[in-house]
Amino acid sequence: MLEIKYIRQNISQVRDAMNRRGDAANIDTFEEIDNEYRKILNEIEQLRHRRNVVSDEIATMKANKENADPLISEMREVASRIKALEAGLSGYEEKIQEILFSLPNIPHESVPFGKDENDNPVVRSVGTPVSFDFEVLPHWTIGENLGILDFERAAKITGARFPLYFGAGARLERALISFMIDLHVNIHGYTETLPPFIVNSRSMTFTGQLPKFAEDLFKLEGRDYYLIPTAEVPVTNIHQQEILDESLLPIYYVAYTPCFRSEAGSYGKDTRGLIRQHQFNKVELVKFTIPEASYQELESLLKNAEAVLKLLELPYRTVLLCTGDMGFASAKTYDIEVWMPAQNRYREISSCSNFESFQARRGGIRFKRKGEKGTQLVHTLNGSGLAVGRTVAAILENGQQADGSVVIPEALRPYMGGLQKIEKLKA
RNA sequence: GGAGAGAUGGCCGAGUCGGCUGAAGGCGCUCGCCUGCUAAGCGAGUGUGGGGGGAAACUUCCACCGAGGGUUCGAAUCCCUCUCUCUCCGCCA
């Protein structure tokens, strides 16, 4: 959410920014409604002032045993007038709230203008895709052949887009989670957290999933509870409505959680394999920082996420999302894309964003500087470090051998009980 | 699930015949003074959001005592609903 004061004072810049993101419709109605709102509010405040003054007079008159009846009957009318105006005002208030909640963040100046993912510049490419001298198989085939992935049975249990792992596959998923968390905790200095996997609508609103993207979420029937689509939601909300001491910042959290997404509107996309599931595991990095440090923190966050791929020896590239491809709440986002041999292209495996004060404003996450009065909003950042299911897919495809086995990256072997390659389970 | 208690400012904590309480007091914090020694003392200041005025320091008005309604000329104080927290009992991984 943007600051209403900022919008009022910089209406043309905001309109410009919304245009760059491809939607400025709300800004025009905002100006109109806001003016009307302030007009009414002004009238109400004058009446309230009058009421406050006269109520005091009534109090003193009563104390002096004087007759205050005329004033009281006058105030009776003032009160009903106020009530009527307030009823009208709340409509405008709601409308303004609605617009504020629907406005995306303003892109940082370093974000290139663009329409969609084709306009995302590549920042760097690391590692070289291996060339195979046999027919490259997609990870779902590899996994099914090895007996470690079973989408058919998963569909029986639940439905489409759910994973079921066996044996070394299940172990691989678990190993990756531990490996990633250990790396981020021991080497990168993050604090491990294990948050709730279900959150209320307030938390969803603070991080930006609600009210605009409700259709992407799974909601629990009859309750104000949602399954989290990412650990970003519960972890960022750890500090909602708090005033943090400056000395605590920056705060780094790493959290493993399953993620649940309805994937509405993506029918037909990535129907096979682990790429697009209703439930997947992810290790997420979240930072809270002072404003002036947030962009350098974004760079280090990105490096932290990339480090996972480097250690797993998976080829990847990093792209900077253009204005038209960025997420709603983000001011700047890098995507990390891993090489998927069977698809012969790079696929997103991490997304690292700086939200600046967008989430902090919604969630009331502030900090206090020593020696200064007042509080300031923190900047929040997060990034996947990494999406685990997609990492499994990448390992299966990049590590596949002619005989159908899959070589496990060396860094991961200690987490696999020393296993070097995954071979077909005995039937 | 049953029975109670409670939600006030950064923190602790007053505040029930509704009216100079935006909120006593304490702690913490900031600035200044004092003090020659990591302490103590003294003075002042110290919530958030919004509207208006001012270049600014600042000033003025409105709102906010868990949330939302209601009663009233007037509510932190009375009534209703909800949420959350805590204690005891039961149940349970």
Side-chain angles (χ1 to χ4, degrees), chain A residues 171-204:
Chain A
R171 177 88 191 244
L172 180 59
E173 183 91 9
R174 179 161 60 90
L176 279 168
I177 293 167
S178 293
F179 167 71
M180 291 178 193
I181 292 175
D182 285 351
L183 171 69
H184 296 309
V185 169
N186 297 331
I187 310 295
H188 299 148
Y190 290 74
T191 301
E192 183 171 356
T193 63
L194 188 55
F197 302 159
I198 296 174
V199 301
N200 58 33
S201 60
R202 205 161 73 124
S203 293
M204 285 291 190

PDB file of all heavy atoms in Angstrom, chain A residues 171-204:
ATOM      1  N   ARG A 171      13.232 -38.658   0.397  1.00  0.00           N
ATOM      2  CA  ARG A 171      14.447 -38.308   1.129  1.00  0.00           C
ATOM      3  C   ARG A 171      15.115 -37.096   0.504  1.00  0.00           C
ATOM      4  O   ARG A 171      15.628 -36.224   1.207  1.00  0.00           O
ATOM      5  CB  ARG A 171      15.423 -39.501   1.096  1.00  0.00           C
ATOM      6  CG  ARG A 171      16.770 -39.252   1.751  1.00  0.00           C
ATOM      7  CD  ARG A 171      16.702 -39.567   3.232  1.00  0.00           C
ATOM      8  NE  ARG A 171      17.877 -39.108   3.932  1.00  0.00           N
ATOM      9  CZ  ARG A 171      18.748 -39.924   4.538  1.00  0.00           C
ATOM     10  NH1 ARG A 171      18.583 -41.226   4.471  1.00  0.00           N
ATOM     11  NH2 ARG A 171      19.763 -39.421   5.205  1.00  0.00           N
ATOM     12  N   LEU A 172      15.095 -37.049  -0.821  1.00  0.00           N
ATOM     13  CA  LEU A 172      15.717 -35.936  -1.524  1.00  0.00           C
ATOM     14  C   LEU A 172      15.032 -34.613  -1.182  1.00  0.00           C
ATOM     15  O   LEU A 172      15.683 -33.599  -0.929  1.00  0.00           O
ATOM     16  CB  LEU A 172      15.652 -36.188  -3.046  1.00  0.00           C
ATOM     17  CG  LEU A 172      16.254 -35.128  -3.962  1.00  0.00           C
ATOM     18  CD1 LEU A 172      17.728 -34.905  -3.672  1.00  0.00           C
ATOM     19  CD2 LEU A 172      16.066 -35.530  -5.442  1.00  0.00           C
ATOM     20  N   GLU A 173      13.721 -34.650  -1.169  1.00  0.00           N
ATOM     21  CA  GLU A 173      12.951 -33.447  -0.810  1.00  0.00           C
ATOM     22  C   GLU A 173      13.328 -32.992   0.602  1.00  0.00           C
ATOM     23  O   GLU A 173      13.594 -31.819   0.852  1.00  0.00           O
ATOM     24  CB  GLU A 173      11.455 -33.776  -0.894  1.00  0.00           C
ATOM     25  CG  GLU A 173      10.532 -32.611  -0.619  1.00  0.00           C
ATOM     26  CD  GLU A 173      10.137 -31.818  -1.875  1.00  0.00           C
ATOM     27  OE1 GLU A 173      10.448 -32.267  -2.992  1.00  0.00           O
ATOM     28  OE2 GLU A 173       9.525 -30.757  -1.728  1.00  0.00           O
ATOM     29  N   ARG A 174      13.357 -33.932   1.528  1.00  0.00           N
ATOM     30  CA  ARG A 174      13.671 -33.613   2.920  1.00  0.00           C
ATOM     31  C   ARG A 174      15.118 -33.149   3.044  1.00  0.00           C
ATOM     32  O   ARG A 174      15.431 -32.224   3.793  1.00  0.00           O
ATOM     33  CB  ARG A 174      13.428 -34.854   3.783  1.00  0.00           C
ATOM     34  CG  ARG A 174      13.736 -34.695   5.243  1.00  0.00           C
ATOM     35  CD  ARG A 174      13.041 -35.779   6.072  1.00  0.00           C
ATOM     36  NE  ARG A 174      13.450 -37.143   5.709  1.00  0.00           N
ATOM     37  CZ  ARG A 174      14.482 -37.790   6.269  1.00  0.00           C
ATOM     38  NH1 ARG A 174      15.199 -37.202   7.206  1.00  0.00           N
ATOM     39  NH2 ARG A 174      14.779 -39.013   5.888  1.00  0.00           N
ATOM     40  N   ALA A 175      16.008 -33.801   2.282  1.00  0.00           N
ATOM     41  CA  ALA A 175      17.426 -33.437   2.342  1.00  0.00           C
ATOM     42  C   ALA A 175      17.620 -31.993   1.866  1.00  0.00           C
ATOM     43  O   ALA A 175      18.391 -31.228   2.460  1.00  0.00           O
ATOM     44  CB  ALA A 175      18.250 -34.386   1.472  1.00  0.00           C
ATOM     45  N   LEU A 176      16.927 -31.642   0.799  1.00  0.00           N
ATOM     46  CA  LEU A 176      17.073 -30.294   0.266  1.00  0.00           C
ATOM     47  C   LEU A 176      16.613 -29.249   1.272  1.00  0.00           C
ATOM     48  O   LEU A 176      17.238 -28.192   1.436  1.00  0.00           O
ATOM     49  CB  LEU A 176      16.266 -30.161  -1.034  1.00  0.00           C
ATOM     50  CG  LEU A 176      16.955 -30.721  -2.276  1.00  0.00           C
ATOM     51  CD1 LEU A 176      15.973 -30.818  -3.432  1.00  0.00           C
ATOM     52  CD2 LEU A 176      18.163 -29.867  -2.667  1.00  0.00           C
ATOM     53  N   ILE A 177      15.510 -29.543   1.943  1.00  0.00           N
ATOM     54  CA  ILE A 177      15.008 -28.604   2.948  1.00  0.00           C
ATOM     55  C   ILE A 177      16.070 -28.381   4.023  1.00  0.00           C
ATOM     56  O   ILE A 177      16.413 -27.242   4.368  1.00  0.00           O
ATOM     57  CB  ILE A 177      13.697 -29.130   3.571  1.00  0.00           C
ATOM     58  CG1 ILE A 177      12.591 -29.139   2.518  1.00  0.00           C
ATOM     59  CG2 ILE A 177      13.292 -28.281   4.762  1.00  0.00           C
ATOM     60  CD1 ILE A 177      11.347 -29.935   2.924  1.00  0.00           C
ATOM     61  N   SER A 178      16.613 -29.468   4.532  1.00  0.00           N
ATOM     62  CA  SER A 178      17.629 -29.349   5.591  1.00  0.00           C
ATOM     63  C   SER A 178      18.882 -28.651   5.084  1.00  0.00           C
ATOM     64  O   SER A 178      19.452 -27.794   5.756  1.00  0.00           O
ATOM     65  CB  SER A 178      18.004 -30.731   6.112  1.00  0.00           C
ATOM     66  OG  SER A 178      16.917 -31.314   6.771  1.00  0.00           O
ATOM     67  N   PHE A 179      19.271 -29.040   3.891  1.00  0.00           N
ATOM     68  CA  PHE A 179      20.475 -28.456   3.300  1.00  0.00           C
ATOM     69  C   PHE A 179      20.324 -26.942   3.161  1.00  0.00           C
ATOM     70  O   PHE A 179      21.204 -26.168   3.543  1.00  0.00           O
ATOM     71  CB  PHE A 179      20.719 -29.102   1.934  1.00  0.00           C
ATOM     72  CG  PHE A 179      21.733 -28.391   1.086  1.00  0.00           C
ATOM     73  CD1 PHE A 179      23.086 -28.423   1.423  1.00  0.00           C
ATOM     74  CD2 PHE A 179      21.347 -27.672  -0.035  1.00  0.00           C
ATOM     75  CE1 PHE A 179      24.030 -27.766   0.650  1.00  0.00           C
ATOM     76  CE2 PHE A 179      22.282 -27.013  -0.815  1.00  0.00           C
ATOM     77  CZ  PHE A 179      23.625 -27.049  -0.469  1.00  0.00           C
ATOM     78  N   MET A 180      19.214 -26.521   2.628  1.00  0.00           N
ATOM     79  CA  MET A 180      18.996 -25.090   2.418  1.00  0.00           C
ATOM     80  C   MET A 180      18.939 -24.331   3.738  1.00  0.00           C
ATOM     81  O   MET A 180      19.555 -23.276   3.900  1.00  0.00           O
ATOM     82  CB  MET A 180      17.695 -24.869   1.642  1.00  0.00           C
ATOM     83  CG  MET A 180      17.748 -25.345   0.184  1.00  0.00           C
ATOM     84  SD  MET A 180      16.130 -25.096  -0.615  1.00  0.00           S
ATOM     85  CE  MET A 180      16.350 -26.083  -2.101  1.00  0.00           C
ATOM     86  N   ILE A 181      18.195 -24.867   4.687  1.00  0.00           N
ATOM     87  CA  ILE A 181      18.074 -24.175   5.962  1.00  0.00           C
ATOM     88  C   ILE A 181      19.437 -24.078   6.634  1.00  0.00           C
ATOM     89  O   ILE A 181      19.834 -23.015   7.125  1.00  0.00           O
ATOM     90  CB  ILE A 181      17.070 -24.889   6.894  1.00  0.00           C
ATOM     91  CG1 ILE A 181      15.646 -24.747   6.324  1.00  0.00           C
ATOM     92  CG2 ILE A 181      17.130 -24.310   8.304  1.00  0.00           C
ATOM     93  CD1 ILE A 181      14.602 -25.510   7.111  1.00  0.00           C
ATOM     94  N   ASP A 182      20.182 -25.180   6.634  1.00  0.00           N
ATOM     95  CA  ASP A 182      21.498 -25.165   7.263  1.00  0.00           C
ATOM     96  C   ASP A 182      22.404 -24.122   6.621  1.00  0.00           C
ATOM     97  O   ASP A 182      23.115 -23.391   7.313  1.00  0.00           O
ATOM     98  CB  ASP A 182      22.151 -26.552   7.156  1.00  0.00           C
ATOM     99  CG  ASP A 182      21.532 -27.538   8.139  1.00  0.00           C
ATOM    100  OD1 ASP A 182      20.742 -27.095   8.991  1.00  0.00           O
ATOM    101  OD2 ASP A 182      21.845 -28.742   8.036  1.00  0.00           O
ATOM    102  N   LEU A 183      22.379 -24.075   5.302  1.00  0.00           N
ATOM    103  CA  LEU A 183      23.210 -23.097   4.596  1.00  0.00           C
ATOM    104  C   LEU A 183      22.854 -21.671   5.025  1.00  0.00           C
ATOM    105  O   LEU A 183      23.729 -20.863   5.349  1.00  0.00           O
ATOM    106  CB  LEU A 183      23.015 -23.256   3.079  1.00  0.00           C
ATOM    107  CG  LEU A 183      23.649 -22.180   2.210  1.00  0.00           C
ATOM    108  CD1 LEU A 183      25.168 -22.290   2.245  1.00  0.00           C
ATOM    109  CD2 LEU A 183      23.145 -22.271   0.766  1.00  0.00           C
ATOM    110  N   HIS A 184      21.572 -21.367   5.032  1.00  0.00           N
ATOM    111  CA  HIS A 184      21.152 -19.998   5.326  1.00  0.00           C
ATOM    112  C   HIS A 184      21.362 -19.634   6.792  1.00  0.00           C
ATOM    113  O   HIS A 184      21.644 -18.485   7.106  1.00  0.00           O
ATOM    114  CB  HIS A 184      19.694 -19.799   4.922  1.00  0.00           C
ATOM    115  CG  HIS A 184      19.461 -19.932   3.439  1.00  0.00           C
ATOM    116  ND1 HIS A 184      20.211 -19.251   2.513  1.00  0.00           N
ATOM    117  CD2 HIS A 184      18.582 -20.680   2.721  1.00  0.00           C
ATOM    118  CE1 HIS A 184      19.786 -19.573   1.282  1.00  0.00           C
ATOM    119  NE2 HIS A 184      18.818 -20.445   1.385  1.00  0.00           N
ATOM    120  N   VAL A 185      21.253 -20.632   7.633  1.00  0.00           N
ATOM    121  CA  VAL A 185      21.461 -20.366   9.056  1.00  0.00           C
ATOM    122  C   VAL A 185      22.958 -20.269   9.362  1.00  0.00           C
ATOM    123  O   VAL A 185      23.429 -19.284   9.941  1.00  0.00           O
ATOM    124  CB  VAL A 185      20.814 -21.465   9.929  1.00  0.00           C
ATOM    125  CG1 VAL A 185      21.264 -21.332  11.378  1.00  0.00           C
ATOM    126  CG2 VAL A 185      19.295 -21.390   9.831  1.00  0.00           C
ATOM    127  N   ASN A 186      23.702 -21.277   8.945  1.00  0.00           N
ATOM    128  CA  ASN A 186      25.106 -21.368   9.365  1.00  0.00           C
ATOM    129  C   ASN A 186      26.027 -20.436   8.598  1.00  0.00           C
ATOM    130  O   ASN A 186      26.966 -19.886   9.168  1.00  0.00           O
ATOM    131  CB  ASN A 186      25.610 -22.804   9.212  1.00  0.00           C
ATOM    132  CG  ASN A 186      24.856 -23.763  10.113  1.00  0.00           C
ATOM    133  OD1 ASN A 186      24.378 -23.369  11.187  1.00  0.00           O
ATOM    134  ND2 ASN A 186      24.709 -24.995   9.679  1.00  0.00           N
ATOM    135  N   ILE A 187      25.770 -20.279   7.318  1.00  0.00           N
ATOM    136  CA  ILE A 187      26.678 -19.469   6.509  1.00  0.00           C
ATOM    137  C   ILE A 187      26.144 -18.055   6.307  1.00  0.00           C
ATOM    138  O   ILE A 187      26.892 -17.077   6.351  1.00  0.00           O
ATOM    139  CB  ILE A 187      26.912 -20.118   5.116  1.00  0.00           C
ATOM    140  CG1 ILE A 187      27.281 -21.583   5.262  1.00  0.00           C
ATOM    141  CG2 ILE A 187      27.975 -19.338   4.337  1.00  0.00           C
ATOM    142  CD1 ILE A 187      28.613 -21.832   5.972  1.00  0.00           C
ATOM    143  N   HIS A 188      24.853 -17.922   6.086  1.00  0.00           N
ATOM    144  CA  HIS A 188      24.311 -16.622   5.722  1.00  0.00           C
ATOM    145  C   HIS A 188      23.715 -15.837   6.892  1.00  0.00           C
ATOM    146  O   HIS A 188      23.309 -14.688   6.728  1.00  0.00           O
ATOM    147  CB  HIS A 188      23.250 -16.776   4.625  1.00  0.00           C
ATOM    148  CG  HIS A 188      23.802 -17.386   3.358  1.00  0.00           C
ATOM    149  ND1 HIS A 188      23.052 -18.184   2.526  1.00  0.00           N
ATOM    150  CD2 HIS A 188      25.029 -17.325   2.795  1.00  0.00           C
ATOM    151  CE1 HIS A 188      23.788 -18.570   1.496  1.00  0.00           C
ATOM    152  NE2 HIS A 188      25.002 -18.080   1.644  1.00  0.00           N
ATOM    153  N   GLY A 189      23.634 -16.483   8.054  1.00  0.00           N
ATOM    154  CA  GLY A 189      23.238 -15.731   9.244  1.00  0.00           C
ATOM    155  C   GLY A 189      21.745 -15.513   9.448  1.00  0.00           C
ATOM    156  O   GLY A 189      21.347 -14.571  10.130  1.00  0.00           O
ATOM    157  N   TYR A 190      20.922 -16.367   8.869  1.00  0.00           N
ATOM    158  CA  TYR A 190      19.481 -16.234   9.078  1.00  0.00           C
ATOM    159  C   TYR A 190      19.062 -16.993  10.329  1.00  0.00           C
ATOM    160  O   TYR A 190      19.709 -17.942  10.747  1.00  0.00           O
ATOM    161  CB  TYR A 190      18.701 -16.786   7.878  1.00  0.00           C
ATOM    162  CG  TYR A 190      18.823 -15.946   6.626  1.00  0.00           C
ATOM    163  CD1 TYR A 190      20.003 -15.945   5.870  1.00  0.00           C
ATOM    164  CD2 TYR A 190      17.771 -15.153   6.196  1.00  0.00           C
ATOM    165  CE1 TYR A 190      20.111 -15.178   4.725  1.00  0.00           C
ATOM    166  CE2 TYR A 190      17.875 -14.375   5.053  1.00  0.00           C
ATOM    167  CZ  TYR A 190      19.053 -14.391   4.314  1.00  0.00           C
ATOM    168  OH  TYR A 190      19.167 -13.630   3.191  1.00  0.00           O
ATOM    169  N   THR A 191      17.959 -16.554  10.912  1.00  0.00           N
ATOM    170  CA  THR A 191      17.393 -17.244  12.060  1.00  0.00           C
ATOM    171  C   THR A 191      16.303 -18.193  11.584  1.00  0.00           C
ATOM    172  O   THR A 191      15.401 -17.789  10.859  1.00  0.00           O
ATOM    173  CB  THR A 191      16.778 -16.225  13.044  1.00  0.00           C
ATOM    174  OG1 THR A 191      17.793 -15.328  13.459  1.00  0.00           O
ATOM    175  CG2 THR A 191      16.171 -16.922  14.245  1.00  0.00           C
ATOM    176  N   GLU A 192      16.416 -19.442  12.003  1.00  0.00           N
ATOM    177  CA  GLU A 192      15.422 -20.412  11.562  1.00  0.00           C
ATOM    178  C   GLU A 192      14.092 -20.180  12.267  1.00  0.00           C
ATOM    179  O   GLU A 192      14.053 -19.946  13.474  1.00  0.00           O
ATOM    180  CB  GLU A 192      15.918 -21.830  11.854  1.00  0.00           C
ATOM    181  CG  GLU A 192      14.964 -22.899  11.361  1.00  0.00           C
ATOM    182  CD  GLU A 192      15.563 -24.305  11.460  1.00  0.00           C
ATOM    183  OE1 GLU A 192      16.747 -24.421  11.835  1.00  0.00           O
ATOM    184  OE2 GLU A 192      14.834 -25.268  11.160  1.00  0.00           O
ATOM    185  N   THR A 193      13.019 -20.235  11.507  1.00  0.00           N
ATOM    186  CA  THR A 193      11.685 -20.119  12.092  1.00  0.00           C
ATOM    187  C   THR A 193      10.800 -21.200  11.497  1.00  0.00           C
ATOM    188  O   THR A 193      11.036 -21.679  10.393  1.00  0.00           O
ATOM    189  CB  THR A 193      11.025 -18.758  11.785  1.00  0.00           C
ATOM    190  OG1 THR A 193      10.839 -18.640  10.377  1.00  0.00           O
ATOM    191  CG2 THR A 193      11.886 -17.616  12.260  1.00  0.00           C
ATOM    192  N   LEU A 194       9.785 -21.547  12.246  1.00  0.00           N
ATOM    193  CA  LEU A 194       8.807 -22.506  11.757  1.00  0.00           C
ATOM    194  C   LEU A 194       7.426 -21.944  12.076  1.00  0.00           C
ATOM    195  O   LEU A 194       6.934 -22.093  13.184  1.00  0.00           O
ATOM    196  CB  LEU A 194       9.024 -23.873  12.422  1.00  0.00           C
ATOM    197  CG  LEU A 194       8.205 -25.044  11.882  1.00  0.00           C
ATOM    198  CD1 LEU A 194       8.396 -25.231  10.394  1.00  0.00           C
ATOM    199  CD2 LEU A 194       8.553 -26.316  12.621  1.00  0.00           C
ATOM    200  N   PRO A 195       6.830 -21.247  11.122  1.00  0.00           N
ATOM    201  CA  PRO A 195       5.595 -20.498  11.384  1.00  0.00           C
ATOM    202  C   PRO A 195       4.346 -21.328  11.134  1.00  0.00           C
ATOM    203  O   PRO A 195       4.430 -22.428  10.604  1.00  0.00           O
ATOM    204  CB  PRO A 195       5.687 -19.376  10.351  1.00  0.00           C
ATOM    205  CG  PRO A 195       6.313 -20.051   9.169  1.00  0.00           C
ATOM    206  CD  PRO A 195       7.299 -21.048   9.750  1.00  0.00           C
ATOM    207  N   PRO A 196       3.192 -20.780  11.481  1.00  0.00           N
ATOM    208  CA  PRO A 196       1.925 -21.431  11.135  1.00  0.00           C
ATOM    209  C   PRO A 196       1.775 -21.538   9.620  1.00  0.00           C
ATOM    210  O   PRO A 196       2.235 -20.659   8.888  1.00  0.00           O
ATOM    211  CB  PRO A 196       0.859 -20.485  11.698  1.00  0.00           C
ATOM    212  CG  PRO A 196       1.563 -19.685  12.740  1.00  0.00           C
ATOM    213  CD  PRO A 196       2.972 -19.555  12.269  1.00  0.00           C
ATOM    214  N   PHE A 197       1.126 -22.611   9.186  1.00  0.00           N
ATOM    215  CA  PHE A 197       0.881 -22.796   7.760  1.00  0.00           C
ATOM    216  C   PHE A 197      -0.497 -22.283   7.352  1.00  0.00           C
ATOM    217  O   PHE A 197      -0.870 -22.327   6.198  1.00  0.00           O
ATOM    218  CB  PHE A 197       0.982 -24.280   7.379  1.00  0.00           C
ATOM    219  CG  PHE A 197       2.312 -24.914   7.703  1.00  0.00           C
ATOM    220  CD1 PHE A 197       2.434 -26.286   7.839  1.00  0.00           C
ATOM    221  CD2 PHE A 197       3.453 -24.128   7.870  1.00  0.00           C
ATOM    222  CE1 PHE A 197       3.667 -26.875   8.140  1.00  0.00           C
ATOM    223  CE2 PHE A 197       4.686 -24.709   8.164  1.00  0.00           C
ATOM    224  CZ  PHE A 197       4.793 -26.083   8.303  1.00  0.00           C
ATOM    225  N   ILE A 198      -1.243 -21.857   8.348  1.00  0.00           N
ATOM    226  CA  ILE A 198      -2.563 -21.281   8.105  1.00  0.00           C
ATOM    227  C   ILE A 198      -2.559 -19.885   8.716  1.00  0.00           C
ATOM    228  O   ILE A 198      -2.053 -19.695   9.821  1.00  0.00           O
ATOM    229  CB  ILE A 198      -3.661 -22.132   8.781  1.00  0.00           C
ATOM    230  CG1 ILE A 198      -3.710 -23.526   8.140  1.00  0.00           C
ATOM    231  CG2 ILE A 198      -5.021 -21.451   8.684  1.00  0.00           C
ATOM    232  CD1 ILE A 198      -4.670 -24.471   8.845  1.00  0.00           C
ATOM    233  N   VAL A 199      -3.072 -18.919   7.988  1.00  0.00           N
ATOM    234  CA  VAL A 199      -3.085 -17.540   8.504  1.00  0.00           C
ATOM    235  C   VAL A 199      -4.476 -16.938   8.328  1.00  0.00           C
ATOM    236  O   VAL A 199      -5.299 -17.446   7.571  1.00  0.00           O
ATOM    237  CB  VAL A 199      -2.056 -16.651   7.781  1.00  0.00           C
ATOM    238  CG1 VAL A 199      -0.657 -17.189   7.939  1.00  0.00           C
ATOM    239  CG2 VAL A 199      -2.413 -16.481   6.312  1.00  0.00           C
ATOM    240  N   ASN A 200      -4.710 -15.839   9.027  1.00  0.00           N
ATOM    241  CA  ASN A 200      -6.011 -15.181   8.890  1.00  0.00           C
ATOM    242  C   ASN A 200      -5.970 -14.131   7.776  1.00  0.00           C
ATOM    243  O   ASN A 200      -4.916 -13.828   7.226  1.00  0.00           O
ATOM    244  CB  ASN A 200      -6.438 -14.567  10.230  1.00  0.00           C
ATOM    245  CG  ASN A 200      -5.420 -13.566  10.759  1.00  0.00           C
ATOM    246  OD1 ASN A 200      -4.761 -12.880   9.987  1.00  0.00           O
ATOM    247  ND2 ASN A 200      -5.307 -13.472  12.063  1.00  0.00           N
ATOM    248  N   SER A 201      -7.113 -13.568   7.480  1.00  0.00           N
ATOM    249  CA  SER A 201      -7.217 -12.655   6.340  1.00  0.00           C
ATOM    250  C   SER A 201      -6.435 -11.367   6.582  1.00  0.00           C
ATOM    251  O   SER A 201      -5.971 -10.716   5.648  1.00  0.00           O
ATOM    252  CB  SER A 201      -8.683 -12.341   6.046  1.00  0.00           C
ATOM    253  OG  SER A 201      -9.292 -11.741   7.164  1.00  0.00           O
ATOM    254  N   ARG A 202      -6.278 -11.023   7.841  1.00  0.00           N
ATOM    255  CA  ARG A 202      -5.526  -9.816   8.143  1.00  0.00           C
ATOM    256  C   ARG A 202      -4.080  -9.947   7.675  1.00  0.00           C
ATOM    257  O   ARG A 202      -3.526  -9.057   7.038  1.00  0.00           O
ATOM    258  CB  ARG A 202      -5.580  -9.555   9.648  1.00  0.00           C
ATOM    259  CG  ARG A 202      -5.384  -8.112  10.013  1.00  0.00           C
ATOM    260  CD  ARG A 202      -5.907  -7.885  11.404  1.00  0.00           C
ATOM    261  NE  ARG A 202      -4.992  -8.472  12.364  1.00  0.00           N
ATOM    262  CZ  ARG A 202      -4.439  -7.768  13.353  1.00  0.00           C
ATOM    263  NH1 ARG A 202      -4.697  -6.490  13.477  1.00  0.00           N
ATOM    264  NH2 ARG A 202      -3.641  -8.351  14.205  1.00  0.00           N
ATOM    265  N   SER A 203      -3.476 -11.082   8.012  1.00  0.00           N
ATOM    266  CA  SER A 203      -2.099 -11.297   7.597  1.00  0.00           C
ATOM    267  C   SER A 203      -1.992 -11.326   6.076  1.00  0.00           C
ATOM    268  O   SER A 203      -1.049 -10.784   5.492  1.00  0.00           O
ATOM    269  CB  SER A 203      -1.574 -12.612   8.181  1.00  0.00           C
ATOM    270  OG  SER A 203      -1.475 -12.509   9.595  1.00  0.00           O
ATOM    271  N   MET A 204      -2.955 -11.961   5.441  1.00  0.00           N
ATOM    272  CA  MET A 204      -2.952 -12.021   3.973  1.00  0.00           C
ATOM    273  C   MET A 204      -3.068 -10.622   3.368  1.00  0.00           C
ATOM    274  O   MET A 204      -2.496 -10.337   2.319  1.00  0.00           O
ATOM    275  CB  MET A 204      -4.118 -12.879   3.483  1.00  0.00           C
ATOM    276  CG  MET A 204      -3.915 -14.369   3.666  1.00  0.00           C
ATOM    277  SD  MET A 204      -2.641 -15.030   2.580  1.00  0.00           S
ATOM    278  CE  MET A 204      -2.890 -16.790   2.829  1.00  0.00           C
TER     279      MET A 204
END
